[in-house]
Amino acid sequence: MSFSSDSSSSSPAAALDWKFSQVFGDILPGEDVRDSKSLPASPFIRRFSLLEPNLPFLLLAVDVISAIEFDKSGDHLAVGDRGGRVVIFQENGAKDVRISTCVALYLCFSDLVRSTPRNELERLDRIIAKHPKYHYKTEFQSHEPEFDYLRSVEIEEKINKVRWCAASTGSLNILSSNDKTIKLWKVKDRQVKQVKEMETSQPISSENSLLGEKSFINGQKSSFVNGHSLEWKENIGNGVSSYNGTNDKIACLEDDSVSRTRKVYAHAHDFSINSISVNSDWETFLSGDDLRINLWNLEVSNQCFNILDMKPVNMEDLIEVITAVEFHPSHCNLLAYSSSRGFIRLVDMRKSALCDHSATILKDEEFHGQKSFFTEIIASITDMKFANDGRHILSRDFMNLKLWDMHMDSGPVATIRIHENLRPKLADLYNNDAIFDKFECCVSKDHLNFATGSYSNILRVFSNGSGAEGVTIEASRNPTRKPHGQTTSRPRRSSLSNIARGFYRQVDGRGAESNDFSYDFNSKLLHMAWHPSTNLIACAAGSSLLMYHA
């Protein structure tokens, strides 16, 4: 891995020391992924596994995580799954107070501070700062399975993407998408009264018990000397007895969240939606499928503007499809989209309302390795992210992780080999569809560190200038476990991207005779997100949500 001198104005970043932080819904290997239709339709069975960290039964296919996204502040984390559900996590309490090591040392050891390098003091300051912890907040059913009667196609409830919108007063706004429909959800906190039973072993003061339990009893009303009054709950069950050692019913105030659909953006995509991206103006967003990119206004759900249409008159002339779409983090007129040919196109909407011919193309002119039948397949970009500096773009294809500079269209400023050791096994990967796995990537706030996933639930984290190997972490509570055997071929979904698969299969008829892999292809780390303000990575391994901090 090499970084050009223009790629960053700062010095090379030191390799970060990553440690395990949290896990929700930890599922051990060897537990089968079963289709929910083959199991009893029980609310307990269908329950999202993130709510139960030590789930003892089988991992359901609907529980597999399919999307992860932090909000802009990092206070909330949204997780979507194949069952059409969105789960929201919230950071515990207020943000940890950071005590400046520099100030503390200066007060006690001023001479030592003067002789200590600044970078060492900054490192000590980061050690004192605690990393954020999250807890479960709420969840809601975003999408349900549907059937397109015109095309005779089932539409899965799987959540493809989740994106945060600007928060309004006292509520959160989030976009979620499946293959055909995008929904804008509003999540609002509220207080609800819940009835509980309390057993008292001895007579106690009713006023003290009410104040201690924040509860209300029916049929009475009381005022206090300080002028405040308690409103007593009425008509609870069969009534409430006095506090004489019996079971009493009380009503408690508890925090809760309610979710409702604000807008539904439907009937705008003929093919599977693979991307949604909210603009920096917080008023518009993009949605992209295999051939089209649409521009929406968040407040207008019945119409959109098509800014790109790559569908040819004759589908046999199709040479590439759109794989990812992303708005620039600070300029609302700039966007980028990637293709299956390994190109990234930069578009300025001020030049033209249609983005068909006014794009700057970033492509890798230098060919890596020997050209083969699989060259075009592995060149397809599966994910793309803008860095916060607005100049660099991180992209991931099956083999490599690449860092691009928007000012250099001749090629990436850095290329990191992720699956180079799998190149001799491409034929086998093609036969079991693993070659079409869509690995995501993420980049840190300072754009000096970036991460991606691999097989065997491997998380790879790299730093600018720290070497090509980076840090390898097995995303598991038990990282020393032995990998399990090869999985069978997975069922293919009805998507335009399968057109290319069918074409390649007609050309090449080789079978998979070898099953000798060093990776566990049952386990793959596809989805991840980097915290917007600190070095914390959230990643998905099956139905498990794992977090690592540095």
Side-chain angles (χ1 to χ4, degrees):
M1 177 182 67
S2 62
F3 290 84
S4 71
S5 59
D6 296 334
S7 64
S8 176
S9 58
S10 58
S11 58
L16 299 176
D17 182 18
W18 292 92
K19 298 179 180 179
F20 173 80
S21 177
Q22 284 180 278
V23 62
F24 296 90
D26 192 21
I27 300 297
L28 298 177
E31 293 182 292
D32 299 329
V33 177
R34 300 289 180 85
D35 188 351
S36 60
K37 296 180 182 178
S38 64
L39 295 175
S42 167
F44 178 76
I45 294 292
R46 289 287 303 229
R47 176 177 186 180
F48 192 45
S49 62
L50 290 181
L51 304 182
E52 187 62 48
N54 298 313
L55 196 66
F57 44 81
L58 298 177
L59 167 62
L60 304 182
V62 295
D63 291 332
V64 175
I65 297 174
S66 57
I68 302 176
E69 182 77 5
F70 283 103
D71 68 352
K72 189 175 182 180
S73 65
D75 294 338
H76 298 89
L77 173 67
V79 175
D81 71 356
R82 295 182 64 92
R85 291 160 292 190
V86 175
V87 181
I88 297 179
F89 295 88
Q90 185 175 13
E91 186 177 345
N92 292 339
K95 297 195 174 191
D96 295 319
V97 178
R98 300 194 173 201
I99 304 174
S100 173
T101 306
C102 299
V103 175
L105 288 175
Y106 185 81
L107 293 177
C108 300
F109 310 102
S110 57
D111 294 337
L112 177 62
V113 171
R114 294 189 183 96
S115 60
T116 303
R118 179 175 177 177
N119 58 352
E120 180 64 18
L121 293 176
E122 292 177 348
R123 186 187 69 83
L124 294 174
D125 187 64
R126 289 193 297 268
I127 293 176
I128 288 186
K130 295 182 179 179
H131 61 280
K133 292 277 190 176
Y134 290 83
H135 67 274
Y136 168 82
K137 178 179 176 65
T138 187
E139 71 170 291
F140 55 89
Q141 186 71 34
S142 175
H143 289 75
E144 298 283 354
E146 301 176 11
F147 188 81
D148 188 341
Y149 292 96
L150 294 178
R151 297 180 175 85
S152 298
V153 175
E154 291 185 0
I155 303 175
E156 292 182 338
E157 66 270 36
K158 172 192 170 186
I159 301 298
N160 292 339
K161 295 291 180 181
V162 290
R163 291 291 184 267
W164 291 95
C165 300
S168 53
T169 305
S171 62
L172 303 172
N173 296 295
I174 184 171
L175 286 170
S176 62
S177 168
N178 67 349
D179 284 344
K180 299 296 182 182
T181 306
I182 304 170
K183 295 183 180 181
L184 175 61
W185 289 87
K186 182 177 182 179
V187 182
K188 187 176 180 62
D189 293 334
R190 66 176 182 178
Q191 284 190 331
V192 296
K193 292 182 180 180
Q194 292 190 358
V195 177
K196 293 184 178 180
E197 290 188 358
M198 182 179 69
E199 181 178 354
T200 55
S201 58
Q202 59 183 359
I204 57 177
S205 170
S206 61
E207 293 182 2
N208 291 338
S209 64
L210 291 170
L211 293 175
E213 295 293 333
K214 298 181 181 179
S215 56
F216 309 95
I217 303 179
N218 70 328
Q220 304 179 29
K221 189 171 183 179
S222 177
S223 299
F224 297 95
V225 179
N226 58 10
H228 297 283
S229 62
L230 292 177
E231 181 179 355
W232 301 82
K233 179 73 177 176
E234 296 182 359
N235 300 326
I236 300 180
N238 296 324
V240 179
S241 61
S242 61
Y243 287 86
N244 55 3
T246 61
N247 291 332
D248 297 318
K249 292 184 178 181
I250 59 175
C252 301
L253 287 176
E254 295 187 359
D255 293 332
D256 190 19
S257 298
V258 58
S259 307
R260 67 177 181 88
T261 308
R262 280 191 56 200
K263 299 286 182 181
V264 177
Y265 313 91
H267 311 299
H269 290 277
D270 293 332
F271 306 102
S272 299
I273 299 173
N274 55 40
S275 303
I276 53 176
S277 178
V278 180
N279 203 343
S280 58
D281 61 8
W282 298 109
E283 296 180 357
T284 57
F285 72 94
L286 292 171
S287 63
D289 62 22
D290 293 330
L291 293 180
R292 292 186 177 92
I293 300 176
N294 294 327
L295 179 64
W296 300 82
N297 188 297
L298 282 167
E299 300 301 327
V300 181
S301 60
N302 58 357
Q303 63 180 359
C304 62
F305 185 71
N306 178 243
I307 62 176
L308 179 64
D309 191 345
M310 296 179 60
K311 184 177 180 180
V313 177
N314 187 356
M315 288 296 288
E316 294 181 357
D317 298 331
L318 182 66
I319 59 174
E320 63 179 336
V321 296
I322 301 169
T323 58
V325 182
E326 195 79 19
F327 259 126
H328 192 277
S330 56
H331 298 293
C332 60
N333 56 288
L334 298 179
L335 63 95
Y337 67 94
S338 59
S339 75
S340 57
R341 297 176 64 190
F343 298 164
I344 296 178
R345 292 176 172 88
L346 305 175
V347 177
D348 189 343
M349 292 188 292
R350 296 174 300 181
K351 294 182 179 180
S352 174
L354 299 178
C355 306
D356 301 62
H357 306 290
S358 60
T360 301
I361 300 179
L362 304 180
K363 56 183 178 180
D364 193 354
E365 299 286 357
E366 180 183 354
F367 177 74
H368 304 280
Q370 183 180 1
K371 192 169 184 179
S372 67
F373 162 77
F374 306 103
T375 300
E376 293 185 7
I377 302 178
I378 62 178
S380 176
I381 295 177
T382 58
D383 191 30
M384 174 187 65
K385 294 289 192 308
F386 271 102
N388 285 341
D389 63 352
R391 176 173 174 175
H392 294 88
I393 299 175
L394 185 68
S395 69
R396 171 68 200 268
D397 55 49
F398 184 78
M399 301 297 292
N400 304 310
L401 186 69
K402 297 179 180 180
L403 184 66
W404 305 79
D405 190 329
M406 292 174 55
H407 300 169
M408 298 173 57
D409 57 1
S410 59
V413 296
T415 300
I416 305 172
R417 312 283 191 267
I418 304 296
H419 288 157
E420 192 65 27
N421 57 336
L422 292 179
R423 191 175 292 274
K425 300 292 185 180
L426 291 180
D428 302 293
L429 296 173
Y430 173 75
N431 269 275
N432 62 22
D433 273 357
I435 199 172
F436 297 104
D437 286 330
K438 298 180 179 180
F439 291 95
E440 295 182 0
C441 59
C442 57
V443 59
S444 63
K445 180 182 179 180
D446 58 7
H447 72 270
L448 297 178
N449 301 276
F450 27 87
T452 189
S454 182
Y455 295 106
S456 300
N457 287 338
I458 294 297
L459 174 66
R460 303 286 302 276
V461 186
F462 304 90
S463 300
N464 185 349
S466 65
E469 294 301 324
V471 178
T472 299
I473 306 168
E474 183 180 359
S476 169
R477 188 178 292 200
N478 179 24
T480 59
R481 65 176 185 254
K482 296 181 180 180
H484 287 255
Q486 171 81 3
T487 182
T488 58
S489 178
R490 61 182 180 184
R492 302 184 189 90
R493 297 169 53 190
S494 176
S495 171
L496 181 67
S497 57
N498 290 330
I499 296 177
R501 303 188 191 188
F503 169 76
Y504 289 125
R505 291 187 188 279
Q506 292 175 7
V507 175
D508 185 87
R510 289 176 290 178
E513 298 179 357
S514 173
N515 206 28
D516 183 20
F517 287 91
S518 58
Y519 284 109
D520 176 13
F521 292 94
N522 261 331
S523 307
K524 59 192 74 173
L525 201 70
L526 300 178
H527 310 286
M528 63 193 61
W530 202 300
H531 193 282
S533 60
T534 188
N535 288 323
L536 177 77
I537 297 177
C539 55
S543 70
S544 303
L545 176 67
L546 299 103
M547 299 186 189
Y548 293 88
H549 72 276

